[in-house]
Amino acid sequence: MAKRPAEEFDDQEAPLKAGDRPAYTGNGAEVGPFDDEFEDDFESEDEILEAGVDGRPDEEREAEEKRDAMDVDQKTFIPGRDKLAAGESLSPDTSTYDLLHNLTTTWPCLSFDIVPDQLGANRKAYPATLYAVAGTQAESRKANQNELMVMKLSGLSRMDRRRDEGESDDDDDDDEEENADPILETKSIPLPSTTNRIRARQYPPQNASRTPITHAATMLENSDVLIHDVTPHLTSFDNPGTVITPQQSKPIATLKMHRTEGYALDWSPLVPQGKLLTGDNDGKIFITTCTEGAKWTPDNRPFTGHQSSVEDIQWSPNERNVFASASSDGTVKVWDVRSKSHKPAVSVQVSNTDVNVISWSGQTTHLLATGADDGQWAVWDLRQWKDPTSASQSKPVASFDFHKEQITSIDWHPTDDSIMAVAAGDNTLTLWDLAVELDVEESKDAADVQGVPPQLLFVHYMEMVKECHWHPQIPGCVMATGGGGFGVFKTISV
């Protein structure tokens, strides 16, 4: 770099002291304005604040961001209500589940039932294990492939939220067993037709050291009702090497009193030796009782009164001689088996469409839930039905029309009389808390989900869901069957 010659400084009279400025003599040329190529466009701090971070006012930028936002972010997507666009699919928010597993079988199952086990009540440890029975719906040209499946589902691990939250996996070795892979084991019993409905009944053993006896009743599409002893099939899962003989897979009873197929089937929870209700599409209801010598004897005189098919049936949880039935004639009827006329004691028109399903509360035994073909489900106080003359004028204590397709299954929580599980033809399984009430302030925050009742706790998406049940020994665990197989889940909300 060139140095300036010393002569330029000869006129300076004396060195400057710290803080002094050189005196302007006026001899030099006038200095013009300084041109700063990095000069800001703003003249004041106020203008800088007003312009915001990208050179525009905050209000302008926020308005543009709102216009450009995706539609999906502007409203809550509700399965069963909102439709997916072409190419879109739903995936679950795993942070809302404690347990979530899907299992497929060779053929779909219209119906299943959970079998009680000896692993303990109120269990919360993982991985979870459960037992169930189900009947298949094979293609009509392959009807000979239908079967009664006795199932053991094990290795049902809880959701690993640490990975979702980006936490360390240092303790993976300790959690290896808890995060096991699910296992589905099955034992097959051949059936001659599709299973419309299946129910299991377990009898306590006479000796505490012995295994409880478990019977499974299946109502078939060909109108037969079969009863199987599935005890050896269940015990074989936990006894490796056990051989199931062909004789053990044969039905212990084949009932042929029905002339048409049906879907209504229920075991009495209060008759130790075994008592079975079955209803068909002709509107007839039969009772079959296990008599001495383990002989299953149907009463050939049916209970009549429905004008159309009997869709569902349930024994009272606390009165051994009382049961209720639901029909496509829109009525629910209550019966007393001691009646010599075999006519209903009470009949109530609960819907203008088919009543597909009912569920009797085991905790509050005067409450009965109904689910209809128009998507409505309701809860009824049976104390209002005691007088047959005024029962027809009774109203439900709760009613919901959230679902827009037929209700296919409804089930009371086994220990909480305010919690319900409801499955519907809109591919959803919903959980409800009837004790919830929404206050005014909360309703303001729910402006984007109009038409959603405050009692709705959870919406689980499941294609063609047909039936759901709470597990009686695993709190909050729900199992369901649908066109895509079985689902087992437990949410953080129940």
Side-chain angles (χ1 to χ4, degrees):
M1 179 182 293
K3 297 180 180 181
R4 301 177 66 181
E7 296 87 282
E8 297 183 17
F9 300 95
D10 288 345
D11 294 336
Q12 189 166 330
E13 299 178 355
L16 295 175
K17 297 182 180 179
D20 291 341
R21 292 180 177 271
Y24 176 65
T25 61
N27 295 331
E30 183 177 353
V31 179
F34 179 72
D35 186 13
D36 183 359
E37 62 178 314
F38 301 106
E39 181 179 7
D40 294 330
D41 294 333
F42 311 109
E43 299 298 330
S44 69
E45 292 185 2
D46 291 338
E47 290 187 23
I48 295 175
L49 293 175
E50 181 182 351
V53 296
D54 61 353
R56 294 178 297 161
D58 289 338
E59 293 81 358
E60 179 184 334
R61 188 183 66 259
E62 291 171 358
E64 182 177 332
E65 290 174 352
K66 189 173 183 178
R67 288 195 305 271
D68 295 340
M70 295 177 61
D71 291 341
V72 70
D73 293 331
Q74 303 305 309
K75 65 186 293 291
T76 302
F77 184 92
I78 304 174
R81 285 283 190 87
D82 301 321
K83 303 297 183 182
L84 292 172
E88 290 183 334
S89 62
L90 288 178
S91 59
D93 180 357
T94 57
S95 67
T96 62
Y97 291 89
D98 277 340
L99 179 76
L100 179 61
H101 292 284
N102 297 304
L103 304 102
T104 58
T105 53
T106 303
W107 297 109
C109 299
L110 290 174
S111 181
F112 78 100
D113 203 10
I114 294 174
V115 178
D117 54 54
Q118 309 305 304
L119 301 179
N122 196 34
R123 57 183 190 262
K124 301 176 182 179
Y126 293 94
T129 298
L130 61 85
Y131 299 82
V133 291
T136 62
Q137 182 189 23
E139 295 177 4
S140 55
R141 60 189 178 88
K142 297 182 178 180
N144 60 345
Q145 294 185 15
N146 277 300
E147 58 183 345
L148 188 166
M149 293 191 301
V150 185
M151 303 184 291
K152 177 184 178 181
L153 289 75
S154 58
L156 302 175
S157 59
R158 73 183 306 166
M159 302 303 296
D160 187 0
R161 293 199 185 89
R162 295 174 308 163
R163 289 187 174 87
D164 295 338
E165 298 170 359
E167 295 183 12
S168 171
D169 292 340
D170 293 342
D171 297 330
D172 273 359
D173 293 340
D174 297 335
D175 297 335
E176 190 171 321
E177 182 178 351
E178 184 173 310
N179 296 326
D181 292 329
I183 300 172
L184 172 61
E185 302 173 73
T186 64
K187 301 295 180 182
S188 175
I189 297 175
L191 293 178
S193 182
T194 290
T195 296
N196 290 344
R197 192 65 58 89
I198 186 169
R199 290 292 180 263
R201 174 77 169 99
Q202 194 168 87
Y203 308 93
Q206 297 179 349
N207 188 325
S209 62
R210 302 192 63 181
T211 302
I213 295 173
T214 304
H215 288 163
T218 52
M219 199 161 192
L220 303 182
E221 192 176 53
N222 65 6
S223 79
D224 287 350
V225 177
L226 306 183
I227 301 176
H228 288 84
D229 183 354
V230 296
T231 309
H233 305 76
L234 289 166
T235 56
S236 68
F237 291 125
D238 303 311
N239 294 278
T242 301
V243 177
I244 306 296
T245 67
Q247 184 64 32
Q248 289 175 312
S249 292
K250 291 182 178 180
I252 59 176
T254 300
L255 310 176
K256 293 182 173 291
M257 60 279 191
H258 293 282
R259 294 294 175 262
T260 59
E261 66 175 314
Y263 293 84
L265 177 70
D266 195 39
W267 289 100
S268 170
L270 303 176
V271 179
Q273 69 270 25
K275 202 165 193 174
L276 186 68
L277 282 169
T278 53
D280 61 29
N281 286 354
D282 285 340
K284 296 178 180 179
I285 299 171
F286 290 88
I287 292 181
T288 301
T289 306
C290 185
T291 58
E292 290 186 14
K295 184 178 180 180
W296 294 89
T297 306
D299 183 347
N300 289 320
R301 186 183 172 206
F303 290 80
T304 57
H306 282 297
Q307 302 304 308
S308 188
S309 60
V310 181
E311 297 295 316
D312 202 3
I313 202 164
Q314 271 206 347
W315 288 98
S316 166
N318 67 329
E319 296 185 66
R320 62 183 292 159
N321 294 310
V322 177
F323 69 89
S325 60
S327 170
S328 56
D329 62 15
T331 68
V332 169
K333 301 184 188 298
V334 180
W335 314 70
D336 190 325
V337 299
R338 296 166 295 187
S339 169
K340 294 181 179 180
S341 68
H342 282 206
K343 296 295 182 181
V346 178
S347 179
V348 178
Q349 190 80 30
V350 302
S351 176
N352 294 323
T353 62
D354 299 2
V355 184
N356 296 329
V357 288
I358 55 176
S359 181
W360 210 318
S361 172
Q363 296 295 307
T364 305
T365 55
H366 61 264
L367 295 180
L368 181 77
T370 60
D373 218 44
D374 59 2
Q376 291 198 5
W377 69 275
V379 178
W380 303 81
D381 187 340
L382 298 182
R383 294 174 297 185
Q384 300 177 6
W385 294 12
K386 288 186 176 181
D387 183 358
T389 58
S390 61
S392 60
Q393 305 300 319
S394 63
K395 302 295 182 183
V397 295
S399 180
F400 302 93
D401 61 357
F402 171 79
H403 291 285
K404 301 308 177 185
E405 299 290 341
Q406 73 275 13
I407 304 300
T408 59
S409 186
I410 191 167
D411 197 32
W412 287 95
H413 191 284
T415 60
D416 190 332
D417 61 2
S418 68
I419 304 295
M420 300 287 299
V422 180
D426 55 14
N427 297 327
T428 63
L429 195 166
T430 52
L431 305 183
W432 301 75
D433 186 350
L434 301 180
V436 172
E437 295 183 4
L438 186 67
D439 61 30
V440 177
E441 291 302 319
E442 289 174 333
S443 64
K444 294 178 181 178
D445 297 331
D448 64 335
V449 286
Q450 290 296 326
V452 176
Q455 294 83 4
L456 179 61
L457 289 179
F458 199 89
V459 180
H460 175 77
Y461 182 82
M462 186 173 183
E463 290 187 3
M464 298 174 61
V465 58
K466 296 298 183 183
E467 193 168 287
C468 63
H469 297 294
W470 297 95
H471 196 291
Q473 297 167 272
I474 306 176
C477 179
V478 179
M479 183 174 179
T481 184
F486 291 94
V488 181
F489 68 92
K490 181 181 184 300
T491 74
I492 61 174
S493 56
V494 179

